[in-house]
Amino acid sequence: MDPPTPGVAPHVLVVDDDPSIRQMLVDFLGDYDYRVSAVGTGAEMTVILSRGEIDLLVLDVRLPDEDGIQIARRLREESDLCIIVITGRHDETDRVMALELGADDYLTKPFSPRELLARIRALLRRSGLQGGAARRDSGARAYRFAGWELNVGLRKLTSPQSEVVGLSNGEYNLLMAFLLAPQRMLTRAQLLELSRLHDDEVYDRSIDVQVGRLRRKLQSQGEPPLIRTDRGAGYTFLSKVETLH
């Protein structure tokens, strides 16, 4: 996903089978100058996304034709579209699963429209500016480590086997934080700050989820993990990193 064009309002797609929630979000977000489209099914969502003009997706888990978490997983395999999952389930397992399968953030119903707005703003800011860590090293064209290469401008990660590996916005920002501090132990608090993830109690747990997802994506067959868990302390990126300008 490209960052929103300067001067053009970000386009948010709301997918929820409840007409009252769709209308509420269309009206509320529209008052804050967002362009908002709203549909009630996964099939309608696919049509809108095929036009290629959506900056962020607000996705309900329970849809009449398809499970929202599976939609998030499919979309994450195809793109780095910003995804906020809305769920009526209060079980932590469901929330962790949403993050595991590719969502960038989530809210539990009933939710405050103002909280959703704050999360939309934060997620678009992280995506458009490529995270706090990326901004501090804007002169880097790419990073190489253990046979991998991350192209900063294209936000493209290429494996030692020359395969492109998709990253969510959270995974990209987290990887950038590690690449700017290789072979150093980073605490969860530092990773929250460097990757610009939310820093409340819930999202302390999301650091573990994001690191787990990133570690699996960086795991070459037969090779040891690149990210070490320092129990009770944080995480260390083990590889040396070459910066390309």
Side-chain angles (χ1 to χ4, degrees), residues 126 188-189 191-193 196-204 206-207:
R126 295 201 308 265
R188 287 176 176 81
L191 288 170
L192 284 165
E193 173 62 25
R196 297 185 65 83
L197 292 170
H198 294 282
D199 57 354
D200 56 27
E201 181 181 355
V202 171
Y203 283 86
D204 186 68
S206 82
I207 277 290

Side-chain angles (χ1 to χ4, degrees), residues 29-50:
L29 295 175
D31 286 342
Y32 287 87
D33 297 324
Y34 285 90
R35 294 179 293 155
V36 186
S37 298
V39 296
T41 67
E44 292 172 310
M45 175 205 72
T46 299
V47 172
I48 299 293
L49 290 177
S50 68

